[in-house]
Amino acid sequence: MVGVKSEQDQKLDLSGARVLLVEDEYYIADDLRRTLAGAGATVVGPAPSLSRAQDLLDEGNFDCAVIDLNLQGESAVPIADRLMEEKRSFAIATGYGSGAVPDRLRGVPRIEKPFDPPALLRLVGQLSCAKAAHS
């Protein structure tokens, strides 16, 4: 039934959360945006390039982030490093497995491409942005 959330979907309510999305692949970014927005989150971005991601990071208008580490052939590790320095919650989205993640980022939550929408929502819900959504 359209417009009616199942009991499980209701548990994945991200209303009030502002999620920075850093992803260069248009269709993946759109799927992520739709999934997050469908759970009530406000999506900041998506940022398809390192420079756009840095601009959105400078604005700081988000609670947590989901970032792809490879943006049009550029490494987004500087974005991850800055998020860590600022003690902001984030997850890494990757299609390359754990071998593509630098050692210093191994403890960061990660989701593998292709995404399972409920798994993505659960992951984002575990980040501190979920606290912002329910404060």
Side-chain angles (χ1 to χ4, degrees):
M1 188 181 255
V2 175
V4 176
K5 291 183 178 180
S6 71
E7 184 178 331
Q8 183 178 6
D9 289 340
Q10 290 173 1
K11 293 177 188 172
L12 301 175
D13 183 9
L14 298 175
S15 298
R18 296 186 54 82
V19 182
L20 171 63
L21 180 56
V22 179
E23 173 61 60
D24 63 331
E25 302 267 345
Y26 174 81
Y27 292 109
I28 294 173
D30 191 51
D31 284 347
L32 290 169
R33 183 192 59 76
R34 288 174 189 237
T35 299
L36 292 166
T42 299
V43 176
V44 178
S49 66
L50 187 58
S51 64
R52 182 66 180 134
Q54 289 170 331
D55 290 344
L56 291 173
L57 198 57
D58 289 342
E59 291 173 17
N61 196 13
F62 61 93
D63 303 309
C64 66
V66 176
I67 66 169
D68 181 359
L69 290 181
N70 182 0
L71 301 175
Q72 301 172 3
E74 287 186 285
S75 173
V77 170
I79 300 297
D81 288 340
R82 184 162 164 201
L83 288 165
M84 287 178 61
E85 287 171 17
E86 294 179 4
K87 298 187 181 355
R88 298 191 94 153
S89 294
F90 70 101
I92 295 169
T94 182
Y96 299 106
S98 62
V101 178
D103 287 342
R104 68 182 176 281
L105 299 177
R106 296 284 165 132
V108 173
R110 187 175 70 242
I111 188 162
E112 301 286 331
K113 297 177 186 178
F115 301 103
D116 172 45
L120 171 70
L121 296 177
R122 282 190 300 274
L123 177 63
V124 171
Q126 291 169 359
L127 298 174
S128 69
C129 65
K131 294 177 186 134
H134 301 290
S135 324

